[in-house]
Amino acid sequence: MKRRNFLKIGAVATVGGGLLPNNHFATYASPANQFSGMQAYSELDKHKIERCELVEIDYHWPRFVGKNGRIDFHGQNHKCTVLKIYTDQGAMGWGLSGNRAKGLFHFIENKKVSELINPKLGLINVGLDQTIEFALFDLCGIILNQPVYKLLGNNGTKETPIYSGMIYLDELNPENKSKNLDIILGNCEWDYNYGYRQFKIKIGRSGRWYPHAEGLDKDIEVTRLIYQSFQDRNTELLVDANDMYDLKDTIHFLKGINNIPLVWVEEPFREKINEGRELRKWMDTNGYEKTLYADGEADPDFDVCLSLGKEQVLNVFLPDIYDYGFSRWINLMGELKKIGMTSSPHAWGNLLKTRYTTHLAAGIGNVVTIEGVTCLSDDIYYGDYPIINGKVQVSDLPGFGMTLLKK
């Protein structure tokens, strides 16, 4: 079952022969559950949505980002849309959004904030979606003078490991005519100086950009080079093939890097029951028993991923923090904990998504590491989230702790 269908289904899902409770595959939890405990947020009753506004902002990554195994050059300069929500009491919250939010303005305007969201559980009405929820969570934090992670329960830790998600196939970048690998080492050095102590290395060159055998060999060479260059500097490596391997390729790569320790292997191939089991079995008997298997980012098959999670084959679930939705992640996390599966919501592209994931990790826990997407912008102050010893510290300011500078 694909993610696009998953969002529409309101039935209980089957995982490994057992039922997941709490309407896991529903759009959101039931209204009865959402309203429970709302008396603790009585201040939200005093605020009515007065108006909404969409704003386009500019941001950029600190360097040109190249290809991954599947997608061509990612570039450097970007735009995104954010939603500002104002109340009749003078409060304003904002968050990542999209033009689809315009169709919801008529529904949320003149509503009390308490009618739209329970800050511990998420959106109340099934007609709402992620295009408005990040602004609403921020608004709740502003009104209640609490950071979002405390509204979620404060059940995680205030610091979570964070990795650089910007180590791409940069030997292929246009300015690197000789295809020298020094550019990749330079990017790792920049990220190390920024504070990252985990590097996620994009592999999968054998899929589109190289002849198959040459691409596999280059993936192995790059991984070994980064490990050798940083092994004495308290760093860890993750690898991500973006589904461009098959099982045979994955095993060939792991043999080729010769037991270099990895935090995880991500998206080696499309999630499949038998291939997933075979990979986990091979890893467990060939020195990679501590390496996590992570999947579920790109249009995932939820039935397969959660079945593999229940079997302890797939260890880390990766649906995008925005595309899947913050409220859905809140409700999903309890189910993942029950089956012993951890998470790391996909956050690529935008530092706002990294910040949202940091609050999910601090509020609920069960996030093994966070995707770091370094961004710079004159339109946003991204808040106080220092990276110390390779861990990102969550902001204690109200809401998500960021400031929209563009008027």
Side-chain angles (χ1 to χ4, degrees):
M1 180 174 57
K2 303 302 183 184
R3 175 172 59 83
R4 58 183 173 268
N5 296 325
F6 165 78
L7 300 181
K8 302 174 183 177
I9 293 176
V12 178
T14 301
V15 176
L19 292 178
L20 280 176
N22 297 332
N23 228 13
H24 167 71
F25 278 83
T27 306
Y28 295 108
S30 68
N33 289 338
Q34 289 283 22
F35 279 112
S36 63
M38 284 296 285
Q39 62 271 18
Y41 310 117
S42 59
E43 192 67 23
L44 301 181
D45 285 328
K46 302 175 184 178
H47 286 255
K48 185 178 292 186
I49 306 301
E50 187 172 71
R51 64 185 177 95
C52 303
E53 178 185 3
L54 289 175
V55 179
E56 186 177 73
I57 64 167
D58 295 302
Y59 69 97
H60 64 276
W61 300 324
R63 59 178 179 262
F64 181 91
V65 176
K67 307 179 182 202
N68 64 23
R70 185 166 48 88
I71 300 174
D72 214 328
F73 298 120
H74 288 69
Q76 185 171 11
N77 299 298
H78 298 277
K79 297 179 182 292
C80 69
T81 299
V82 300
L83 170 65
K84 301 168 74 174
I85 299 179
Y86 298 85
T87 77
D88 59 353
Q89 301 300 309
M92 191 277 286
W94 68 278
L96 189 62
S97 185
N99 288 329
R100 191 172 73 248
K102 289 181 180 178
L104 298 174
F105 287 0
H106 74 283
F107 184 85
I108 65 176
E109 287 175 351
N110 298 314
K111 293 284 197 311
K112 294 179 180 179
V113 175
S114 59
E115 294 179 274
L116 301 173
I117 186 170
N118 178 326
K120 187 175 179 65
L121 298 174
L123 295 175
I124 291 171
N125 192 291
V126 296
L128 305 180
D129 64 30
Q130 68 270 35
T131 59
I132 68 164
E133 67 175 338
F134 293 99
L136 281 174
F137 271 103
D138 189 57
L139 180 62
C140 287
I142 297 298
I143 293 171
L144 299 170
N145 197 33
Q146 291 287 331
V148 169
Y149 81 88
K150 289 188 178 180
L151 299 180
L152 297 180
N154 197 16
N155 292 317
T157 62
K158 291 188 65 175
E159 57 179 30
T160 307
I162 187 169
Y163 67 85
S164 165
M166 286 189 174
I167 312 301
Y168 275 59
L169 281 57
D170 293 322
E171 79 278 8
L172 301 178
N173 287 2
E175 75 276 16
N176 190 29
K177 302 298 184 182
S178 67
K179 296 187 179 181
N180 191 291
L181 298 183
D182 287 347
I183 187 174
I184 296 179
L185 290 181
N187 291 340
C188 290
E189 187 70 33
W190 194 100
D191 290 340
Y192 184 92
N193 291 334
Y194 189 81
Y196 295 112
R197 294 298 177 265
Q198 292 181 338
F199 304 141
K200 188 173 82 171
I201 306 167
K202 290 292 188 177
I203 55 176
R205 289 170 173 82
S206 55
R208 291 188 62 186
W209 314 119
Y210 284 80
H212 185 265
E214 183 183 345
L216 276 173
D217 289 344
K218 186 63 69 173
D219 287 345
I220 292 167
E221 180 186 0
V222 168
T223 305
R224 295 180 70 170
L225 177 63
I226 294 173
Y227 175 71
Q228 291 163 4
S229 301
F230 287 88
Q231 63 180 316
D232 297 326
R233 299 171 68 179
N234 192 32
T235 56
E236 297 180 309
L237 304 184
L238 307 78
V239 295
D240 178 5
N242 289 106
D243 291 329
M244 299 309 291
Y245 280 178
D246 59 19
L247 176 61
K248 183 178 178 181
D249 292 338
T250 309
I251 292 174
H252 178 92
F253 169 80
L254 292 173
K255 286 180 177 178
I257 64 172
N258 194 26
N259 291 316
I260 287 175
L262 299 174
V263 175
W264 77 34
V265 175
E266 177 180 340
E267 287 194 312
F269 39 77
R270 289 296 300 173
E271 57 269 10
K272 297 177 182 178
I273 293 290
N274 291 334
E275 286 85 344
R277 289 170 176 163
E278 286 299 313
L279 176 60
R280 183 74 267 169
K281 180 180 178 182
W282 187 91
M283 291 168 65
D284 287 345
T285 55
N286 287 275
Y288 288 96
E289 63 276 2
K290 293 182 180 180
T291 297
L292 303 171
Y293 173 21
D295 214 325
E297 170 202 325
D299 198 20
D301 187 321
F302 278 74
D303 289 333
V304 170
C305 288
L306 295 177
S307 293
L308 291 174
K310 188 173 183 181
E311 293 180 26
Q312 302 300 299
V313 170
L314 186 62
N315 311 110
V316 188
F317 203 26
L318 305 173
D320 189 87
I321 191 70
Y322 177 81
D323 290 342
Y324 183 52
F326 204 65
S327 300
R328 293 188 182 99
W329 259 114
I330 293 168
N331 287 282
L332 174 62
M333 200 66 84
E335 308 305 335
L336 296 183
K337 290 179 180 180
K338 289 177 184 177
I339 63 175
M341 195 176 193
T342 61
S343 73
S344 181
H346 179 254
W348 172 249
N350 197 315
L351 182 56
L352 295 177
K353 297 201 291 185
T354 299
R355 299 298 194 233
Y356 300 148
T357 304
T358 303
H359 280 268
L360 186 74
I364 299 178
N366 203 44
V367 175
V368 64
T369 187
I370 293 172
E371 183 165 25
V373 185
T374 312
C375 292
L376 304 170
S377 176
D378 292 329
D379 295 340
I380 294 175
Y381 168 62
Y382 286 108
D384 184 23
Y385 292 78
I387 299 175
I388 301 174
N389 297 321
K391 294 183 177 182
V392 59
Q393 318 287 308
V394 71
S395 171
D396 273 315
L397 292 177
F400 288 113
M402 296 180 284
T403 303
L404 188 60
L405 303 176
K406 186 172 183 178
K407 303 301 183 181

